[in-house]
Amino acid sequence: MSEGTAPAAGEAASVADEAARERLLYLRGSIDNLDAALVHLLAERFKCTQQVGELKARHSLPPADPAREAAQIARLRRLAEDARLDPAFAEKFLNFIIGEVVQHHRAIADRAVTSGEARAEQPRTPTG
């Protein structure tokens, strides 16, 4: 194509295709970065829930807390609506995470009972 002339039909499509490919690569890079961030956020969340499970096991608390779970689902649905995300999708996502957390808490509780770490009522007094 010479300077100052319009591109032929095939050349225009090629230019448009190249622009589309570049945009696609850019968007996919953004998605990859967001996926990595989600994985790291989930890892941090599970570190916290691991500590919750250990605390529950030490104090013989149940692995699941249906009232807390219901409140969290309602809260997440509101957040999803505010973010213009499908609240039903957000609820499914949180239910999946809650299921994993409760499963982990049950395993922690089972290990605590087996090793004798679970306590019935009174918290331990701190030792100095």
Side-chain angles (χ1 to χ4, degrees):
M1 173 170 74
S2 63
E3 193 172 76
T5 61
E11 291 173 346
S14 176
V15 169
D17 289 347
E18 183 59 29
R21 276 192 288 279
E22 287 178 19
R23 181 70 176 152
L24 184 60
L25 286 173
Y26 171 81
L27 292 169
R28 286 179 173 168
S30 293
I31 290 167
D32 292 349
N33 289 336
L34 290 166
D35 287 346
L38 285 170
V39 167
H40 289 283
L41 286 171
L42 285 170
E44 286 301 311
R45 188 185 195 288
F46 276 96
K47 285 178 189 174
C48 290
T49 60
Q50 176 81 16
Q51 292 176 41
V52 168
E54 291 166 359
L55 183 65
K56 286 180 172 185
R58 278 194 305 274
H59 294 276
S60 299
L61 297 169
D65 184 344
R68 161 87 175 152
E69 293 162 16
Q72 283 298 95
I73 288 168
R75 180 178 159 270
L76 194 70
R77 286 184 69 91
R78 286 189 305 275
L79 288 171
E81 288 172 2
D82 290 346
R84 296 193 172 142
L85 179 68
D86 179 8
F89 169 76
E91 182 173 346
K92 287 179 201 174
F93 181 70
L94 186 60
N95 278 327
F96 176 75
I97 291 171
I98 289 170
E100 287 294 307
V101 168
V102 170
Q103 181 180 335
H104 293 175
H105 288 185
R106 286 188 177 122
I108 292 167
D110 290 346
R111 283 194 304 271
V113 167
T114 302
S115 68
E117 292 177 21
R119 291 178 297 149
E121 304 259 341
Q122 298 298 320
R124 280 187 251 166
T125 55
T127 57

